[in-house]
Amino acid sequence: MTLKTPLHVNGEERMLVADSRTSLLDALRHHLGLPGTKKGCDHGQCGACTVIINGRRINSCLTLACMHDGDEITTIEGLGTPEDMSALQSAFVRHDGFQCGYCTAGQICSATAMLDEAKAGWPSNVSDTLDGDVSLSDTEISERMSGNLCRCSAYPGIVKAIREAAEGEHDEKL
């Protein structure tokens, strides 16, 4: 069954006309022309397809597009451009937080939402306390990013980039 679903993607209203079984990942890439979100495993295990919906990170391969009428969807294209990168994107470049780049969009979307979660005081499995400020140690960052795999093992650069963005060390753009 084909549905018309209005989607709010990267600050813009888009009309999706697709089969009701279309995943959000396939809708973004194939129907709306936003190729930044990648299909990795198609089982929610690698994080390459991570996007932000209403401020929370999700694996877009595991949700149907038609379920997100009225939601605010942010993809890597909505976080910045090569000419105007977000602080986190700039930090990824500075710290070589990517090699082949395939997982990078999912890593950056996930890290963007993760930093907001930490700022809001949400604990993780390795947090010292369930209340108050969250200290983003390397262990804490690694735990919070554990749903995003990098087959090239660029993890040291990814952690450095996230730490820099969290501490606001470089606010200037590249």
Side-chain angles (χ1 to χ4, degrees), residues 32-53:
L32 300 180
L34 297 168
T37 305
K38 301 292 191 274
K39 184 177 282 200
C41 66
D42 215 18
H43 295 285
Q45 297 174 340
C46 73
C49 68
T50 303
V51 297
I52 303 168
I53 297 185

Side-chain angles (χ1 to χ4, degrees), residues 6-26:
L7 296 175
H8 194 74
V9 182
N10 300 328
E12 155 182 339
E13 289 296 327
R14 306 282 299 266
M15 182 59 69
L16 172 69
V17 179
D19 188 285
S20 61
R21 299 165 293 181
T22 302
S23 71
L24 180 58
L25 170 62
D26 288 338

Side-chain angles (χ1 to χ4, degrees), residues 38-101:
K38 301 292 191 274
K39 184 177 282 200
C41 66
D42 215 18
H43 295 285
Q45 297 174 340
C46 73
C49 68
T50 303
V51 297
I52 303 168
I53 297 185
N54 299 328
R56 300 196 60 183
R57 52 192 166 152
I58 69 150
N59 294 332
S60 61
C61 71
L62 295 179
T63 188
L64 298 175
C66 64
M67 297 169 57
H68 296 286
D69 179 359
D71 290 342
E72 180 60 44
I73 302 165
T74 305
T75 68
I76 190 69
E77 291 92 348
L79 294 177
T81 65
E83 300 79 27
D84 187 27
M85 290 188 268
S86 72
L88 190 57
Q89 289 170 317
S90 294
F92 261 69
V93 171
R94 253 190 308 285
H95 294 285
D96 200 22
F98 57 91
Q99 285 182 23
C100 78

